[in-house]
Amino acid sequence: MTATHVYQSIARATHEHGVDTMFGLMGDANLFMVDAFVRERNGRFIPAAHEGSAVLMALAYAHVSGKVGVATITHGPALTNAMTALTEAARGHVAMVILVGDTPVDNPRHLQSIDQREVVKASGAGFEQLRSPATTGKDVARAFYRAQVERRPIVLNMPADFMWQEVTHDMQVLDVFTAPGGVAEGDTLDNAIGMIASARRPLILAGAGANHARDQLIALADRLEAPLATTLKAKGLFNDHPYNIDIFGTLSTPAAYDLIAQSDCIICFGTALHDFTTDRGKLMKDKRIVQIDVEPEAIGGGLHPDAALVADAGLTAETILWWLNEAEIAASGFTRELDVPALTAHPVGSQKNTEGFVNYVHALGRLEEALPKDRVLVSDGGRFMTEVWCRISAPNPQSFVATVNFGAIGLGLQEAIGAGLGAPERPVVMFSGDGGFMMGGINEFNTAVRLGLDLIVIIANDSAYGAEHIQFIDRKMDPSLTEFNWPSFAEVARSLGGEGVEVSSKYELESAIEAMTARKGPFLMELKLDPNDVPRMRI
């Protein structure tokens, strides 16, 4: 134990938790802590242009790297600027620690004073107070412990007037219980196995809560001769399996949707079964539903299953498999006649090319062929993304970052930067709409340039807020309020130090792909799209 200042103790305690990368924006209450993290602990600080961006970068870094994401911002408006990002992270169940400054305790009339506890609580994140200088080590340790156990961002609230007070640094790292939850047992398990054993057309559905259980779920599916499907957030989990029908729900192909409708038992691992997955319950009618999740609150939110097991996905799959073998239950035979290529082929639709525009579906098909195969795929929110989710593949769920937890747009580029730092040896591909890029991407593109990231940004630009545009069109109303005369995003990318190419025809698309292949840093491809000829959202 050594004498030090509180700001140094926070930096040291953060480093002692294995943190070598911190995202943030400096202000009055955190600047000295950041300086100590970099100069005294040899940490890496990634400065963002906006407080919300710092939180989003840490979110994607955590998702891709598997580490606890760490960000820091200052007080008052800095915290309110990060509310959307905090909510996105909380709803995504991402383990993060956000070191947030607070105004001095002895100055309640400070201009930037706000009840930060209540603000944080509204986002769904957890709140941990730095109680006194003497408890600094314990409070930092508690924040990291809670982030991992509760699987959500924890805000550590740090009063500015504590920072220069002297303390004795006391190293505190709390052990986190990391065993994979419980094993299913009892009458409910017996009932679930009975439903599965009697099913003639069973199907296994995996969500993000089952990403760790891939091998066990495949073993169970093979034993049952059941097709495999995933939710959006588990996209890529069953890549290359012969009976993988890809995304389950409103994003399914028409053929896969029909197959799901024919099934008589859905065995759901690690998914909360929200409305988009179940198509508002339509896909679950007249079926036995078995739901397995280690989180009790995930069960029964959208619909109540016939058997609910609060247990680990992998251990439960192994248990079910053991009992099926013990009872010598025959395989269902459901997969024997499946034509999986036909089940997973999304309809192409119209291939017309309006003068001055590129066909979006054609462009996505070419990009799927041409983009780096070892990519990390990041998608912003908005009208264009459902086609990206269906037509652009990801190597595995950890390599897929979808900013969908809060239904926001404008979060994609920030998370792409965090993903690039979480997987520095791999290229990151980020898709965004024009409105989303103007809202949140344009102010961080230069951050990617400064960091020298291998980042490919694809902008679907229909010069409008497309989801709203189509609603006016559907009601035969004037959509002009949704339309914008944006600047050239390709030119903006070049002015910010990157590379940019504009695409308004299939011939320019081929030239852009060649330029993308020869890129030397952050690269932006702007697809000019006809706002009246873009596929509709599938959710």
Side-chain angles (χ1 to χ4, degrees):
M1 296 194 296
T2 56
T4 186
H5 294 104
V6 167
Y7 74 85
Q8 295 171 305
S9 185
I10 296 170
R12 180 173 173 179
T14 301
H15 181 261
E16 288 167 350
H17 280 82
V19 176
D20 57 15
T21 301
M22 180 187 295
F23 302 86
L25 195 59
M26 289 193 295
D28 291 349
N30 68 343
L31 75 167
F32 300 114
M33 184 275 294
V34 170
D35 185 77
F37 179 76
V38 173
R39 300 185 192 280
E40 298 177 13
R41 300 297 144 196
N42 200 31
R44 176 173 59 166
F45 177 66
I46 309 299
H50 187 274
E51 291 88 355
S53 299
V55 175
L56 293 168
M57 291 175 190
L59 186 166
Y61 177 88
H63 176 86
V64 172
S65 70
K67 302 176 181 179
V68 176
V70 177
T72 183
I73 57 178
T74 192
H75 44 56
L79 178 59
T80 58
N81 277 348
M83 274 295 289
T84 296
L86 275 175
T87 307
E88 174 75 11
R91 294 192 179 184
H93 304 289
V94 180
M96 300 169 61
V97 172
I98 317 297
L99 304 170
V100 176
D102 199 357
T103 51
V105 174
D106 62 359
N107 185 6
R109 298 183 67 184
H110 189 285
L111 178 64
Q112 294 184 327
S113 179
I114 190 173
D115 189 338
Q116 299 200 161
R117 180 187 295 272
E118 293 302 315
V119 171
V120 170
K121 284 170 59 179
S123 75
F127 186 90
E128 191 71 30
Q129 180 66 45
L130 187 61
R131 294 166 292 168
S132 71
T135 62
T136 296
K138 293 181 175 65
D139 295 336
V140 172
R142 178 69 179 166
F144 275 90
Y145 176 82
R146 288 184 60 194
Q148 294 169 87
V149 171
E150 298 174 23
R151 295 194 306 121
R152 62 172 175 160
I154 302 297
V155 167
L156 179 63
N157 201 60
M158 313 178 301
D161 50 340
F162 286 5
M163 293 300 159
W164 282 91
Q165 295 191 36
E166 289 193 352
V167 295
T168 299
H169 181 79
D170 183 10
M171 180 176 174
Q172 294 276 333
V173 177
L174 302 174
D175 289 335
V176 176
F177 179 69
T178 55
V183 180
E185 57 185 3
D187 291 343
T188 305
L189 174 63
D190 294 341
N191 292 337
I193 292 173
M195 294 173 196
I196 295 166
S198 62
R200 299 277 56 88
R201 296 181 302 279
L203 187 149
I204 289 178
L205 169 62
N211 285 345
H212 67 287
R214 179 182 187 274
D215 292 345
Q216 295 96 321
L217 299 191
I218 286 176
L220 179 60
D222 290 346
R223 172 63 176 80
L224 289 170
E225 295 184 1
L228 289 153
T230 73
T231 64
L232 173 64
K233 292 178 74 173
K235 176 181 170 68
L237 183 62
F238 301 125
N239 281 352
D240 302 323
H241 190 276
Y243 298 115
N244 172 31
I245 66 169
D246 207 24
I247 301 175
F248 183 111
T250 56
L251 298 176
S252 297
T253 67
Y257 191 100
D258 289 343
L259 180 76
I260 296 166
Q262 295 168 22
S263 66
D264 59 3
C265 181
I266 311 290
I267 313 159
C268 311
F269 292 90
T271 169
L273 297 176
H274 63 56
D275 283 352
F276 297 142
T277 299
T278 67
D279 195 5
R280 295 167 179 81
K282 295 176 187 175
L283 280 172
M284 300 309 196
K285 286 184 177 179
D286 304 319
K287 299 174 174 55
R288 295 287 195 176
I289 308 300
V290 178
Q291 188 178 3
I292 301 101
D293 204 294
V294 75
E295 300 292 343
E297 65 270 19
I299 292 175
L303 56 86
H304 201 80
D306 296 284
L309 304 174
V310 179
D312 175 72
L315 295 176
T316 303
E318 290 176 347
T319 301
I320 294 170
L321 179 59
W322 189 90
W323 280 112
L324 292 174
N325 289 335
E326 189 75 5
E328 299 182 353
I329 301 298
S332 71
F334 190 30
T335 58
R336 294 174 192 174
E337 304 300 325
L338 296 187
D339 182 356
V340 173
L343 286 168
T344 55
H346 287 272
V348 173
S350 170
Q351 288 290 289
K352 73 175 184 177
N353 285 281
T354 309
E355 185 68 26
F357 301 105
V358 66
N359 182 278
Y360 186 46
V361 171
H362 168 75
L364 291 179
R366 282 293 294 120
L367 288 167
E368 169 64 10
E369 297 169 353
L371 288 167
K373 301 306 178 191
D374 62 338
R375 58 184 171 258
V376 176
L377 176 64
V378 180
S379 69
D380 203 342
R383 173 187 182 185
F384 300 106
M385 294 307 107
T386 54
E387 292 298 323
V388 171
W389 298 334
C390 293
R391 300 180 188 275
I392 303 296
S393 61
N396 51 60
Q398 194 171 357
S399 302
F400 175 55
V401 181
T403 62
V404 296
N405 299 310
F406 191 31
I409 69 170
L411 313 184
L413 186 58
Q414 305 92 308
E415 295 207 29
I417 291 171
L421 292 165
E425 73 287 353
R426 298 170 60 197
V428 177
V429 178
M430 195 281 289
F431 284 84
S432 176
D434 47 317
F437 188 74
M438 283 294 290
M439 183 181 293
I442 201 167
N443 62 346
E444 297 295 353
F445 188 82
N446 181 253
T447 303
V449 172
R450 286 187 283 107
L451 295 169
L453 297 182
D454 186 3
L455 173 64
I456 299 169
V457 177
I458 313 293
I459 304 296
N461 180 12
D462 66 349
S463 297
Y465 277 98
E468 290 71 26
H469 183 275
I470 203 67
Q471 289 190 59
F472 278 110
I473 295 294
D474 285 347
R475 295 181 181 274
K476 297 181 172 55
M477 297 171 66
D478 179 4
S480 59
L481 287 174
T482 69
E483 298 169 355
F484 292 84
N485 184 21
W486 304 120
S488 165
F489 294 121
E491 290 182 9
V492 168
R494 292 193 291 270
S495 71
L496 292 172
E499 302 173 66
V501 178
E502 193 172 288
V503 175
S504 57
S505 70
K506 64 180 181 180
Y507 307 106
E508 291 180 350
L509 177 62
E510 297 306 316
S511 299
I513 288 173
E514 290 182 15
M516 177 187 74
T517 304
R519 69 192 181 281
K520 294 181 173 60
F523 177 92
L524 185 147
M525 183 186 300
E526 179 181 357
L527 304 178
K528 302 289 285 187
L529 304 178
D530 181 352
N532 298 310
D533 187 34
V534 177
R536 292 173 178 268
M537 293 180 70
R538 302 198 198 185
I539 56 178

